[in-house]
């Protein structure tokens, strides 16, 4: 099993920045791809960014150039640096890990961007 715990959410004004963190524990060696997803109120959960164990990244078009995903394999951490935040970035951000044991989710951290 893999356990994921997000932190770093909060309230920020439009144009501001936040950094989210995800701490992984459990059978870490089984993890291949990690990612961030977000769910806005009343909407489905959507991909924000993913990163492979080797460091290859993929971003949703809506966050390209503003968000940066990174991963510290040695310390079992993943980060999402979010700059130039917009009100439409508001939502619960979830950490995800895909491993040979399955697909795992954290409980999420709320990001609120005020106009």
């Amino acid at each position: 099993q893999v356990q994921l715990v997000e932190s770093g959410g909060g309230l920020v004004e439009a144009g501001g920045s936040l950094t989210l963190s995800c701490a992984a524990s459990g059978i870490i060696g089984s993890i291949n791809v990690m990612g961030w997803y977000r769910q806005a109120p009343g909407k489905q959960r959507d991909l924000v960014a993913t990163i492979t164990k080797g460091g290859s990244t993929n971003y949703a078009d809506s966050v390209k150039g503003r968000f940066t995903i990174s991963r510290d394999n040695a310390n079992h951490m993943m980060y999402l640096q979010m700059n130039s935040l917009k009100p439409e970035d508001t939502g619960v951000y979830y950490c995800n890990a895909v491993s040979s044991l399955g697909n795992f989710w954290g409980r999420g951290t709320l990001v609120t961007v005020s106009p």
Side-chain angles (χ1 to χ4, degrees):
Q1 295 292 322
V2 174
Q3 295 79 43
L4 303 169
V5 179
E6 304 95 336
S7 61
L11 174 64
V12 63
E13 291 184 350
S17 298
L18 277 177
T19 300
L20 305 183
S21 300
C22 173
S25 61
I27 307 177
I28 304 298
S30 66
I31 296 175
N32 297 312
V33 180
M34 297 187 74
W36 290 98
Y37 290 73
R38 71 184 176 196
Q39 188 165 18
K43 296 189 177 181
Q44 67 182 18
R45 190 175 300 185
D46 291 327
L47 169 72
V48 175
T50 60
I51 184 166
T52 67
K53 197 170 187 177
S56 297
T57 59
N58 179 56
Y59 295 93
D61 288 342
S62 60
V63 306
K64 282 181 181 176
R66 300 188 298 122
F67 291 10
T68 302
I69 189 171
S70 61
R71 184 170 169 174
D72 180 350
N73 291 325
N75 292 299
H76 318 309
M77 295 292 295
M78 180 178 64
Y79 304 96
L80 185 69
Q81 174 66 45
M82 304 185 293
N83 298 325
S84 303
L85 282 161
K86 304 175 181 180
E88 51 263 43
D89 295 318
T90 293
V92 178
Y93 284 69
Y94 295 92
C95 176
N96 172 261
V98 179
S99 82
S100 57
L101 302 176
N103 192 18
F104 299 92
W105 295 92
R107 293 187 175 185
T109 185
L110 177 62
V111 173
T112 303
V113 184
S114 63

